[in-house]
């Protein structure tokens, strides 16, 4: 359908096995995502795109370890291993991803002082990426999400999309999660309660 788009979230090397922030089984979804791309008229990709020394990296906070949390001006921030550094192999899309059909690549996390999980907003919840405006201008009112990771970038994107008035489906079979302290169940429940269709 012309008024629907597939949004593939962060299917990048660093989030796949062998990467610095690998999601278990992250590469398993590539064939399914490719099939979804083939069947979609409109395809959009997001790409985590951090400068070296990004404020969300544990290495930027002496004495802290990955997966600890710190308080940033915009709220609580999980600290991550260095990942998806601009221009690095880790930031590249997975080599098996059929990405060339994409009409738009939304890069996020490129502002040094703020992280960005959602395809729609930075983690301050107010700085937009421009994706909503792009979709509206193209007459697209429904999106399907796939990619990595279910409980972070996929879920935050889905919740923002619903809040912005889009009809949203998350293909859970085409996602994989990190699951920090029960985050996978918690975020899946939040998506369901918000009205996201979970497929």
């Amino acid at each position: 359908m012309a008024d629907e788009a597939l949004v593939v979230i962060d299917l990048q090397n660093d989030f796949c096995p062998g990467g610095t922030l690998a999601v278990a089984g992250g590469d398993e979804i590539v064939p399914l995502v490719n099939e979804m791309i083939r069947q979609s008229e409109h395809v959009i990709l997001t790409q985590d795109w951090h400068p070296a020394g990004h404020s969300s990296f544990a290495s930027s906070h002496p004495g802290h370890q990955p997966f600890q949390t710190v308080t940033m001006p915009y709220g609580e921030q999980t600290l991550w291993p260095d990942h998806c550094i601009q221009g690095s192999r880790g930031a590249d899309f997975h080599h098996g991803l059929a990405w060339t059909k994409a009409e738009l690549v939304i890069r996020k996390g490129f502002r040094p002082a703020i992280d960005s999980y959602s395809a729609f907003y930075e983690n301050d919840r107010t700085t937009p990426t421009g994706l909503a405006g792009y979709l509206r201008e193209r007459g697209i009112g429904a999106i399907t999400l796939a990619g990595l990771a279910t409980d972070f970038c996929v879920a935050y994107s889905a919740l923002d999309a619903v809040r912005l008035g889009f009809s949203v489906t998350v293909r859970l079979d085409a996602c994989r999660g990190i699951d920090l302290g029960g985050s996978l169940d918690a975020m899946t429940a939040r998506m369901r309660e918000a009205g996201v269709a979970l497929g």
Side-chain angles (χ1 to χ4, degrees):
M1 297 291 291
D3 62 348
E4 297 181 10
L6 172 65
V7 182
V8 180
I9 303 290
D10 297 359
L11 198 37
Q12 296 164 258
N13 289 326
D14 269 346
F15 296 128
C16 291
T20 60
L21 185 48
V23 179
D27 55 345
E28 297 171 357
I29 65 173
V30 172
L32 178 54
V33 170
N34 284 346
E35 182 59 31
M36 294 169 69
I37 288 172
R38 279 190 287 273
Q39 295 175 2
S40 299
E41 185 170 345
H42 299 296
V43 178
I44 295 162
L45 306 179
T46 68
Q47 188 176 23
D48 223 26
W49 195 248
H50 295 304
H54 191 267
S55 61
S56 70
F57 295 167
S59 62
S60 297
H61 300 267
H64 288 80
Q65 298 298 315
F67 310 112
Q68 292 180 332
T69 59
V70 295
T71 300
M72 302 288 270
Y74 52 86
E76 289 294 302
Q77 172 67 50
T78 299
L79 296 178
W80 305 107
D82 292 23
H83 65 280
C84 296
I85 292 172
Q86 295 169 359
S88 70
R89 184 189 170 279
D92 288 345
F93 294 118
H94 185 278
H95 66 87
L97 182 65
W99 59 267
T100 56
K101 190 176 175 184
E103 301 172 353
L104 178 70
V105 176
I106 290 281
R107 286 179 166 162
K108 57 192 185 63
F110 56 81
R111 292 178 175 87
I114 187 166
D115 205 5
S116 183
Y117 297 156
S118 171
F120 292 91
Y121 288 101
E122 305 282 10
N123 282 7
D124 62 2
R125 322 300 307 133
T126 58
T127 303
T129 64
L131 178 56
Y134 177 86
L135 293 170
R136 290 193 177 113
E137 194 162 313
R138 297 295 304 277
I140 295 168
I143 63 170
T144 296
L145 294 167
L148 305 170
T150 314
D151 41 342
F152 284 91
C153 296
V154 173
Y156 279 81
S157 298
L159 293 169
D160 280 344
V162 168
R163 187 162 59 88
L164 290 164
F166 294 97
S167 173
V168 185
T169 299
V170 171
R171 281 283 300 272
L172 291 175
D173 57 340
C175 300
R176 292 293 183 272
I178 296 176
D179 203 17
L180 284 182
S183 58
L184 187 57
D185 284 347
M187 294 306 288
T188 302
R190 277 185 63 185
M191 287 192 285
R192 187 176 289 112
E193 291 161 9
V196 176
L198 299 176

